[in-house]
């Protein structure tokens, strides 16, 4: 993909339009779609225009979601409207939530009545709900129908729905009773009732369910599709594997970015401008600078202690660096465990005890390793201060790093927002307090 992107980029820079078009013709639709994620908006539009008209809709279907949005913004209105109309309702609803309102209104107005109503139906659900990302194009069969009748229904309507590999089985009121696979229907006696073949759904999603929770359940059950029901248990749509994976991909990218103290990039790195890179990072850096003033205040408060034993300053970078790293490791581990469902609100005490124990062992190991080097740079009493401080700071950092994300979730804040750099800054300040208090106690300072 990188080689293809670079080749396209070189051809565009040389303005070799004919050669670029010829090169694109040799690539498959999927290769073109992968390469386009690396291009800026101007080059995206140019490459898309060079594609043969019969390929454009398929490439548009295959490109990354962020690339779709850039194309819809950059192409002439009439072409954007045509491409938008070619998407499934759930994809249209996803895009409308992420483009300016003026563009969303223009694209929706150009849809035919039926397509617009389906898209608006999905947009009525919350932005983070499963209802927003489900497909309303779902084929259901009834429990009383025969296998032969169900297969005839698949043949006649299969092209119009999202998937036929998993078929919800519904009762007279549209309530989901179970599911049956297409494979099971095809290998069964045509006269058998569908109700005799159906099984309980491995997972049933709700329209108001958080889409990340739904996607995790979907992944854990290893499904290719799952029914989505309303509050009364009536079939509302279907969640498919591609939508579930897109949800998880977005969530993982967002968590990774926040964990490093930045915002998630909307495009691939090569396609992101320097200005956008700055925007994704500067907000958190400003917050962290403010938080870092705590460390300055601590050093100012203990200025007299430092003046009495200047050698203590030698070990400040070591201690705050270690504390920040331990806290970041703990926070990252817990956030990840929460994201995959291994840790819940009821595990607060268990997680705290595990991480405090981990911090204690880490502190003991680091203190044992660092005692003799500290004695070499200072004296035995200073080495004892450093080692005791290491143990205490590791315990403190592990405790803070593990509990902060859980507290954040309990009060309704995304745990990933409480990023590792932020926790590191807090641990730096509290770790210094521990260090100087230990120094005062061991060395008998005033």
């Amino acid at each position: 993909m990188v080689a293809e992107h670079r080749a396209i980029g070189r051809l565009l820079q040389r303005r070799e339009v004919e050669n670029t078009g010829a090169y694109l013709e040799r690539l498959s639709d999927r290769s073109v779609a992968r390469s386009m994620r690396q291009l800026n908006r101007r080059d995206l539009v140019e490459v898309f225009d060079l594609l043969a008209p019969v390929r454009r809709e398929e490439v548009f279907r295959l490109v990354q979601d962020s690339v779709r949005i850039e194309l819809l913004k950059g192409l002439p209105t009439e072409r954007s409207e045509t491409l938008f109309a070619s998407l499934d309702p759930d994809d249209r609803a996803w895009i409308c939530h992420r483009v300016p309102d003026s563009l969303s209104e223009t694209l929706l107005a150009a849809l035919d009545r039926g397509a617009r109503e389906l898209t608006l139906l999905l947009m009525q659900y919350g932005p983070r709900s499963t209802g927003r990302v489900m497909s309303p194009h779902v084929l259901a069969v009834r429990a009383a129908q025969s296998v032969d009748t169900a297969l005839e229904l698949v043949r006649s309507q299969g092209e119009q729905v999202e998937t036929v590999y998993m078929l919800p089985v519904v009762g007279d009121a549209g309530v989901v009773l179970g599911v049956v696979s297409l494979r099971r229907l095809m290998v069964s006696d045509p006269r058998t009732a569908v109700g005799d073949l159906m099984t309980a759904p491995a997972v049933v999603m709700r329209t108001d369910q958080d889409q990340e929770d739904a996607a995790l359940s979907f992944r854990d059950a290893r499904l290719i599709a799952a029914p989505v029901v309303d509050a009364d248990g009536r079939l509302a749509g279907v969640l498919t594997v591609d939508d579930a994976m897109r949800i998880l991909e977005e969530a993982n990218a967002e968590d990774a970015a926040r964990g490093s103290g930045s915002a998630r990039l909307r495009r691939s790195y090569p396609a992101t401008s320097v200005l956008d890179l700055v925007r994704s990072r500067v907000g958190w850096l400003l917050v962290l600078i403010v938080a870092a003033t705590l460390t300055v205040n601590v050093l100012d408060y203990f200025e007299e202690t430092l003046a009495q034993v200047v050698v203590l300053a030698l070990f400040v970078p070591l201690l705050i660096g270690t504390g920040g790293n331990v806290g970041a490791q703990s926070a990252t581990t817990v956030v990840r465990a929460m994201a995959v469902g291994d840790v819940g609100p009821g595990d607060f005490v268990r997680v705290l005890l595990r991480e405090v124990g981990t911090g204690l062992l880490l502190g003991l190991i680091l203190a044992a390793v660092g005692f003799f080097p500290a004695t070499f740079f200072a004296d035995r009493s200073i080495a004892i201060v450093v080692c005791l401080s290491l143990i205490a700071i590791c315990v403190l950092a592990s405790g803070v790093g593990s509990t902060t994300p859980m507290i954040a979730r309990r009060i309704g804040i995304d745990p990933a927002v409480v990023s590792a750099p932020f926790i590191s800054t807090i641990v730096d300040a509290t770790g210094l307090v521990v260090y100087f208090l230990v120094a005062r106690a061991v060395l008998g300072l005033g």
Side-chain angles (χ1 to χ4, degrees), residues 244-416:
M245 293 307 102
R246 179 172 66 183
I247 294 166
L248 294 178
E249 181 183 353
E250 275 196 349
N252 289 336
E254 190 169 318
D255 290 348
R258 287 176 171 173
S260 62
S262 62
R264 183 173 73 88
L265 299 180
R266 296 299 174 184
R267 294 289 313 280
S268 65
Y269 181 81
T272 304
S273 68
V274 172
L275 184 59
D276 286 336
L277 289 174
V278 171
R279 287 172 179 165
S280 72
R281 301 175 188 178
V282 68
W284 269 110
L285 289 176
L286 292 173
V287 171
L288 294 175
I289 284 176
V290 173
T293 58
L294 293 173
T295 303
V296 177
N297 290 333
V298 170
L299 288 171
D300 182 62
Y301 181 82
F302 288 100
E303 183 179 5
E304 291 184 5
T305 303
L306 273 175
Q308 294 178 56
V309 185
V310 178
V311 73
L312 289 174
L314 291 175
F315 299 96
V316 167
L318 167 71
L319 293 172
I320 65 175
T322 301
N325 289 335
V326 171
Q329 288 177 338
S330 179
T332 301
T333 301
V334 172
V335 168
R336 178 60 182 165
M338 294 170 67
V340 300
D342 291 341
V343 170
D347 298 316
F348 184 90
V349 175
R350 180 171 67 89
V351 170
L352 175 60
L353 293 176
R354 284 174 63 89
E355 288 298 319
V356 166
T358 301
L360 178 61
L361 288 176
L362 288 172
L364 289 171
I365 293 171
L366 294 175
V369 172
F371 180 77
F372 291 106
T375 304
F376 175 79
F377 285 106
D379 56 32
R380 186 181 181 86
S381 59
I382 297 296
I384 292 174
V385 170
V386 171
C387 292
L388 290 176
S389 299
L390 266 176
I391 295 170
I393 288 172
C394 285
V395 172
L396 173 67
S398 294
V400 172
S402 61
T403 56
T404 303
M406 300 188 72
I407 293 172
R409 168 159 299 181
R410 180 161 293 186
I411 62 178
I413 300 174
D414 186 347

Side-chain angles (χ1 to χ4, degrees), residues 14 25 42 129 137 146 158 209 215 220 234-235 237 242 252 254 257 263 312 318 342 372-373 378 410 419 425 446:
R14 297 170 188 164
E25 285 297 323
R42 188 192 66 181
S129 69
H137 290 152
S146 67
Q209 184 176 0
D220 293 342
R234 294 189 296 265
L235 183 65
D242 57 326
N252 289 336
E254 190 169 318
L312 289 174
L318 167 71
D342 291 341
F372 291 106
R410 180 161 293 186
S419 65
T425 305

